[in-house]
Amino acid sequence: MASAAAASGGDQLMIGDMSLQTLSDGNLVLPQGFLFPEQSPEQLMPILTRHGVAQDPMEPPLNVTLMRQGDRVVLFDAGSGPAFQASAGQLPAALEAAGVSPEDVTHVVFTHCHPDHLWGVLDDFDDPLFANAEHFIGQQEWDFWFDPSTIDTIGEARATMAAGALRRMEILEDQITRFRDGEEILPGVAARATYGHTPGHMSFELRSGSESVMVLGDAIGNSHVSFERPDWHVGSDQDAAMAAAARMSLLDQLAHEQTRVIGYHLPEGGLGQVARKGDGYRFIPL
């Protein structure tokens, strides 16, 4: 059985009647050149060295957010499952350590349909892992990945993820509720468009009174380069220019409003705050 420590990458956080906890799905293993294809070593290495992540390949963490609110047990994203990378797919063990069975989950809310966020939604038999849950996804994200022509137009490097997304969307179709930017999909949970990483990427503002937390997904995908130089393009973003614009706007808002955040690929469980640092920003773990 997984240890209790394996369940959480960070401390629990209360927002009104919402209990928030991050669960580790493991980590990815990605070449620096994939994440930062436009930057020279002279540009990149000082930032990575300052943050102690200069190794190549890089190993970004995977933080799935668990929210408990009354009789609701909500997951924001579903992890990678067993078929993506060997270092990932640990969400089932983390759920067990947190005292949650897949049958307990009432809602699964997707930020977007990349493999490390979506592929964990099916079990080893290709049945929905969270069989009792209602699943939510943004209409624009759904339209893009559910379109059969996407696999032929997205580019060879992304064709496998397009095929994987479509297959899972087809299996889940009857369990999925679609929503649009600005909608309150659950009490205190509002969708916030952060397009660019994918065509319909959504973040989620969790609010109770004057308290709030932003579940970022991959709108801000790392705690180093994208904080110090949010204008730099990131290779994992499908529309890098749009993603950079969304990132700069979001960081400015989060720092100004002192909103707490949960980032899918941010360190120490992803819970923290954004602060200004010179012309850029820094991530402060809680």
Side-chain angles (χ1 to χ4, degrees):
M1 179 179 294
S3 69
S8 178
D11 296 330
Q12 287 185 256
L13 180 67
M14 292 298 300
I15 299 292
D17 64 346
M18 303 176 192
S19 171
L20 302 172
Q21 178 182 6
T22 56
L23 306 179
S24 176
D25 190 51
N27 65 271
L28 299 181
V29 179
L30 299 172
Q32 285 181 7
F34 168 75
L35 288 172
F36 308 112
E38 299 181 5
Q39 288 75 44
S40 69
E42 291 76 19
Q43 292 174 305
L44 193 60
M45 293 312 295
I47 297 176
L48 298 183
T49 300
R50 275 197 297 275
H51 290 268
V53 291
Q55 77 276 5
D56 192 3
M58 305 184 77
E59 298 182 352
L62 302 170
N63 306 308
V64 176
T65 300
L66 171 68
M67 183 182 87
R68 293 181 249 212
Q69 181 188 37
D71 59 358
R72 283 182 286 274
V73 179
V74 183
L75 289 177
F76 291 87
D77 292 321
S80 309
F84 186 48
Q85 290 193 1
S87 58
Q90 299 175 21
L91 179 61
L95 281 167
E96 182 182 357
V100 177
S101 72
E103 294 77 17
D104 295 334
V105 175
T106 58
H107 302 83
V108 179
V109 180
F110 296 109
T111 60
H112 65 296
C113 288
H114 280 172
D116 53 321
H117 298 254
L118 172 68
W119 284 19
V121 81
L122 301 182
D123 64 18
D124 293 339
F125 302 99
D126 272 0
D127 292 321
L129 178 62
F130 307 106
N132 298 326
E134 183 178 4
H135 296 64
F136 291 85
I137 194 166
Q139 184 69 56
Q140 190 163 320
E141 186 77 355
W142 169 274
D143 290 343
F144 177 77
W145 295 102
F146 203 76
D147 184 348
S149 69
T150 293
I151 193 172
D152 298 318
T153 58
I154 198 173
E156 183 178 352
R158 299 179 187 267
T160 298
M161 71 170 63
L166 177 59
R167 184 166 70 84
R168 287 161 178 83
M169 292 293 95
E170 289 175 333
I171 292 171
L172 292 171
E173 184 171 9
D174 292 339
Q175 292 176 254
I176 288 190
T177 297
R178 271 89 79 187
F179 59 86
R180 298 190 182 276
D181 178 34
E183 290 187 22
E184 186 178 54
I185 62 171
L186 293 168
V189 179
R192 298 287 181 250
T194 43
Y195 302 152
H197 182 68
T198 62
H201 186 283
M202 288 284 182
S203 300
F204 298 94
E205 183 179 13
L206 282 50
R207 179 170 291 277
S208 177
S210 62
E211 293 188 286
S212 64
V213 174
M214 190 76 76
V215 177
L216 298 172
D218 285 3
I220 306 171
N222 62 76
S223 64
H224 32 80
V225 171
S226 289
F227 275 74
E228 291 200 25
R229 290 300 306 264
D231 57 316
W232 282 3
H233 291 180
V234 176
S236 58
D237 293 334
Q238 284 179 236
D239 187 326
M242 181 183 290
R247 186 163 53 245
M248 289 187 286
S249 175
L250 186 59
L251 282 165
D252 181 70
Q253 173 194 340
L254 295 169
H256 176 72
E257 297 178 357
Q258 299 185 332
T259 302
R260 288 168 289 188
V261 301
I262 304 177
Y264 201 78
H265 298 300
L266 301 185
E268 299 187 43
L271 293 166
Q273 288 184 287
V274 177
R276 293 191 181 277
K277 181 182 179 182
D279 294 333
Y281 301 87
R282 63 190 178 102
F283 175 67
I284 306 172
L286 292 182

